[in-house]
Structures are given as C-alpha cells and as structure tokens.
Amino acid sequence: MNELLDMGGYAIFVWSSYGIFFFSLVIFFLINILNLRKYEKMYNNTIKKID
C-alpha cells in the first residue's frame, strides 16, 4: 500500500495534480451554479414584466 501511495518517488507531483484538479472542478461547479441562479432570476424578472 505504501508503494501505491509513494508512486515511485513521484507522489508529491501526482497527488498535488489530483488535488489541483478536484479543487478546480469544485470551483468551476460553484461558479456555474451561481451563474445559473443569476440567469434564472433575470429570466423570471423578464417573464414577470411580460405578463
């Protein structure tokens, strides 16, 4: 198990790459959720004005 986690001496590069990838995945997901909510509010306001 230690050999798997050590990855032949390249563990710091591999695990930091995984960390950066998943961190950016979460950030992009949150940004998209916030943008979606903003555009939903704009859409709902537009629909209310039309009615």
Side-chain angles (χ1 to χ4, degrees):
M1 186 66 175
N2 285 338
E3 292 175 4
L4 176 67
L5 295 176
D6 185 41
M7 296 193 177
Y10 295 104
I12 189 71
F13 303 109
V14 174
W15 292 116
S16 63
S17 297
Y18 279 130
I20 291 168
F21 170 74
F22 285 112
F23 178 75
S24 23
L25 193 66
V26 168
I27 294 298
F28 287 135
F29 178 76
L30 292 176
I31 289 171
N32 283 321
I33 291 296
L34 293 175
N35 281 335
L36 176 65
R37 288 183 182 167
K38 179 177 79 173
Y39 288 121
E40 282 178 336
K41 285 180 186 178
M42 289 172 53
Y43 175 75
N44 288 333
N45 289 337
T46 305
I47 293 299
K48 286 178 185 177
K49 287 180 183 177
I50 291 174
D51 291 338

